[in-house]
Amino acid sequence: MSTSAARMDGRAWAQLLVLCGAVFLEGIDVAMLNIALPSIRADLGLSTGMLSGVISAYVLGYGGFMLLGGRTADLLGHRRVFLFWLVVFLLFSGLGGFATNGWMLLAARFVTGVASAFMAPAGLALVTAMFPAGPARTKALGVYAGIASGGFVLGLVAGGLLTSIGWRWVFFAPVIMAALLLAAAVPLVKEPEPGARRGVSGGFDLLGAFSITGAMMLLVYGVVRLERPGHDVALTVAVLAGGAALLAAFVAIEHRAAHPLVRLGILRSGALVRTNLSAMLFLGAFAGFQFLMTLYLQELRGWTTWQTGLAMLVVGIDVVLAPTLTPRLVNRFGNVRVLLGGLVMAAAAYALFLPVGLDWAYTVMFPIIGLLGLSFALVYGPLTMAATEGVDEREHGVAGGLFYTAIQFGMALGLSAVTAVKVAALSGGSREAGLDALRIALTVPVAAVLAAVLITALGLRTSPRRPAEPAHDPVKTAV
């Protein structure tokens, strides 16, 4: 390799690390806040409804604006959108740290969610534009996905540590990280070559943007309301019906729009639809399982937040395995086979937890959680790779938006489903009754991942194994 090529490679990988830092920031930000919620409630005197709203506000902002974020990045430029919303993320995370009441927290979390909705598809599009299809992109997306999922896990540990110092540091730490990333991103991250965006034109489809944003916000809010199934059922049904109506209106608008927000033809790809459904089910299952494990360890076993975070840390082996093991497996066996194997492992891990008892030693839980970490390494990376595979590079922002919308909607659905099942199954206030309800709720993650296994297995009939490509493909980067 020439000195010039080596320099280009080094520049591309430096950009990748900055983009990985941003997606890690999103994951760790959410996980840390979840750990800090009890301390926030005690300090600010928040009601249970307001506390739930702090979480829901982020989900609403993220899920509601994701598709608009993807289209905006494709139209205005991925770098420009990424940098602008990184600044917004920094400012409003800081606002959360200075919050003196619940409404300030709600506003801060909602805008932070919106910022993530614009940053995530722009960042993914920048990664796919820098590395050509083949081993280079496979390895890059393996690193990107591993660090992304690692943020969710390491955030539990970091959240426990920072909360012990003071819950406001859960907001201030992301501000420091975002400032460092911004300082590195401005000189390093470059817009893709002009050819990658050639043909992307037209204005914003405002009617489409309003309808899909409104639809996603109502649907996500309706799903969040399912956590309390007996509370104002009529309103929950009305919210979900309104979301479905706006979604139907969005489809009608996109059929007629001169410059649609989402070209509906992109949804004709069976592989794309399967990828997003599998992502929704897999991440929904993990969100539900993580929530149930937190309740089990802290409420039923009396563990501290710090001990709970350390117990789940083994899931973070994904950070090591995703960029090293997964790309090799994908190049040898193909994306679909690796993804299917990881989903089967996840289903096995969740099933092994079904008979959990009050006296289980951590030595029993450790290998099962480790199996879940291995499954993450084999699933999250291939899902990220498949999210834009076969999609024109001019639409990578939209494809990324669809992918992250599926993830966010799935996580909201997973949390709401396990909460609703656990509440419905609870028959008393004893620890044994709580454990019985938790065991029943654990069937939800098992069922969700088994559904993802069936959906992914369909891909084996239509997606032949991708042959290995030369490992010396050059890395493409804009300089």
Side-chain angles (χ1 to χ4, degrees):
M1 180 183 293
S2 67
T3 303
S4 176
R7 188 180 302 115
M8 290 175 65
D9 286 358
R11 178 64 174 268
W13 288 106
Q15 293 181 64
L16 175 63
L17 290 178
V18 172
L19 297 171
C20 285
V23 77
F24 178 83
L25 176 63
E26 294 172 24
I28 200 171
D29 173 74
V30 174
M32 289 194 303
L33 179 62
N34 288 342
I35 289 291
L37 286 176
S39 298
I40 294 173
R41 192 217 305 252
D43 190 27
L44 298 183
L46 304 183
S47 66
T48 300
M50 181 62 76
L51 198 66
S52 174
V54 170
I55 297 296
S56 301
Y58 181 89
V59 175
L60 288 172
Y62 201 131
F65 285 83
M66 182 63 73
L67 290 178
L68 179 60
R71 177 61 175 167
T72 302
D74 286 339
L75 283 174
L76 299 184
H78 302 124
R79 178 183 184 272
R80 181 184 303 172
V81 169
F82 177 82
L83 292 178
F84 176 81
W85 287 99
L86 180 58
V87 173
V88 175
F89 185 100
L90 183 157
L91 293 176
F92 279 84
S93 185
L95 177 63
F98 288 111
T100 56
N101 57 62
W103 290 108
M104 283 184 68
L105 275 180
L106 282 175
R109 292 308 292 169
F110 178 77
V111 179
T112 302
V114 173
S116 297
F118 281 80
M119 284 168 53
L124 180 58
L126 284 167
V127 173
T128 57
M130 284 190 298
F131 299 90
R137 181 179 291 177
T138 297
K139 184 175 182 180
L141 289 176
V143 174
Y144 187 78
I147 292 179
S149 59
F152 287 104
V153 179
L154 298 178
L156 296 174
V157 181
L161 177 61
L162 290 173
T163 303
S164 66
I165 301 172
W167 66 263
R168 295 184 187 277
W169 279 102
V170 168
F171 292 91
F172 294 146
V175 170
I176 297 171
M177 291 179 61
L180 293 174
L181 286 171
L182 184 64
V186 170
L188 282 175
V189 176
K190 302 298 181 183
E191 189 66 32
E193 294 176 357
R197 295 185 61 245
R198 189 177 295 132
V200 180
S201 60
F204 286 99
D205 172 20
L206 293 180
L207 283 178
F210 289 144
S211 60
I212 191 60
T213 299
M216 293 308 302
M217 290 181 69
L218 286 176
L219 289 172
V220 171
Y221 178 56
V223 166
V224 170
R225 286 188 59 83
L226 292 177
E227 295 178 8
R228 294 177 289 171
H231 180 71
D232 205 345
V233 176
L235 178 59
T236 302
V237 172
V239 168
L240 291 172
L246 281 177
L247 191 60
F250 170 72
V251 173
I253 291 168
E254 297 307 280
H255 271 300
R256 300 177 182 179
H259 303 290
L261 182 68
V262 177
R263 185 179 60 84
L264 296 180
I266 199 175
L267 300 178
R268 297 193 186 109
S269 168
L272 186 71
V273 172
R274 285 192 299 271
T275 295
N276 285 287
L277 285 175
S278 296
M280 180 181 71
L281 291 165
F282 178 74
L283 271 299
F286 179 72
F289 175 77
Q290 186 183 64
F291 176 70
L292 292 174
M293 279 295 292
T294 300
L295 294 181
Y296 168 71
L297 293 175
Q298 293 188 31
E299 294 187 355
L300 297 180
R301 299 293 297 273
W303 291 23
T304 65
T305 57
W306 177 240
Q307 290 171 321
T308 300
L310 287 178
M312 295 293 291
L313 184 60
V314 66
V315 180
I317 61 172
D318 170 52
V319 178
V320 177
L321 295 179
T324 54
L325 175 65
T326 305
R328 296 179 183 179
L329 293 176
V330 169
N331 286 329
R332 181 171 181 180
F333 299 107
N335 213 23
V336 178
R337 284 177 171 80
V338 175
L339 174 58
L340 183 60
L343 288 172
V344 170
M345 287 183 184
Y350 293 139
L352 287 171
F353 256 103
L354 289 177
V356 64
L358 292 174
D359 58 348
W360 268 28
Y362 185 65
T363 52
V364 177
M365 294 184 276
F366 180 83
I368 304 176
I369 300 175
L371 180 63
L372 183 59
L374 178 59
S375 76
F376 242 98
L378 299 181
V379 172
Y380 199 85
L383 282 175
T384 305
M385 297 170 199
T388 56
E389 190 172 0
V391 177
D392 192 299
E393 289 196 6
R394 293 170 297 181
E395 295 183 308
H396 275 193
V398 170
L402 288 169
F403 177 67
Y404 286 111
T405 297
I407 288 177
Q408 201 64 33
F409 190 77
M411 294 180 72
L413 184 60
L415 280 170
S416 299
V418 297
T419 301
V421 171
K422 184 178 182 296
V423 170
L426 192 61
S427 58
S430 66
R431 293 175 68 210
E432 288 72 18
L435 180 62
D436 289 339
L438 185 138
R439 285 172 176 164
I440 294 173
L442 279 170
T443 61
V444 174
V446 176
V449 176
L450 286 177
V453 168
L454 293 176
I455 291 170
T456 303
L458 294 175
L460 287 176
R461 304 179 63 180
T462 56
S463 302
R465 191 182 79 179
R466 190 183 74 188
E469 299 178 52
H472 57 274
D473 282 6
V475 175
K476 177 172 61 179
T477 182
V479 292

